[in-house]
Amino acid sequence: MGIKYLGHSCFEIETKGKKILIDPFLAANPDYKPEGIYDIFVTHAHGDHLGKAIEISKETGAPITAIFELANYCAQRGAKTHGIGLGGWVNYSWGKVAAVPAFHSSSTPEGEYGGCPCGFVFEIEGNTIYHAGDTCLNSEMKTIGEFFQPDMAMLPIGGFYTMDIEQAVTAAEWLGVTAVIPMHYNTFDAISVDISEFERQIREKGKLPVIMKVNQELGK
Ligand code: NI
Ligand code: MN
């Protein structure tokens, strides 16, 4: 399994030759080519997460998995979709995924209701990975930790719209993860942080900060 950071909250996970794309907002990555994309996941309808999901779905044929209302919005614009709800595991050829609560809002670029925002828990090749989407710190993370026992979390740390560093560090403790990939920071002025402060606070809790540069890859 490989994880590639594409900027903001966007990641590509590769497993057995199949690529999974999450929240494809590619402002930091104008030359990105969506090759080999097999499934697309979108946590909520805001432009900095929906990004190019519809275009990439149409180009590659990869379906978009999203909360029902957002999936319908994408389907109306020509994308293939799986509209799901917060709940149990959904099976894929490469693993399984559950949509979990996120505390945020979700409206489409046209201002329509986008359904509830969510995070995703992925189980791939025996690894359990939680992508939080946009959210504040919330006690659901204790449930996610207890029930799904994730190994690693992608957590927003930029503040203003989501958790800040301090909340993300507490989230990492509640989730019981061993490693955290920070996301949703330094893309815009409102979410600028001192990343060394995140690194320091996460290490203080005995957890591993995995700070990824745009287009950097882990694992394989
Ligand atoms: Ni958002
Ligand atoms: Mn966002």
Side-chain angles (χ1 to χ4, degrees), residues 44 46-49 104-105 134 161-162 184:
H44 64 291
H46 289 156
D48 61 317
H49 298 261
H104 189 64
S105 60
D134 279 358
Y161 305 109
T162 69
H184 212 273

Side-chain angles (χ1 to χ4, degrees), residues 97-141:
V97 178
V100 295
F103 287 69
H104 189 64
S105 60
S106 180
S107 52
T108 70
E110 288 77 21
E112 293 167 45
Y113 173 60
C116 63
C118 74
F120 293 109
V121 179
F122 296 88
E123 197 179 285
I124 305 172
E125 294 180 38
N127 303 291
T128 305
I129 301 165
Y130 166 54
H131 184 296
D134 279 358
T135 185
C136 63
L137 179 68
N138 66 81
S139 58
E140 290 295 334
M141 290 166 178

Side-chain angles (χ1 to χ4, degrees), residues 1-3 12-21 32 34-39 60 62 93-95 124-125 217 220:
M1 191 187 72
I3 298 176
E12 208 183 66
I13 301 178
E14 186 173 356
T15 174
K16 297 173 190 152
K18 291 172 176 168
K19 287 181 185 166
I20 298 142
L21 190 59
Y32 174 72
E35 280 160 10
I37 299 302
Y38 202 78
D39 275 293
T60 61
S93 61
W94 41 264
I124 305 172
E125 294 180 38
E217 269 179 280
K220 279 256 171 97

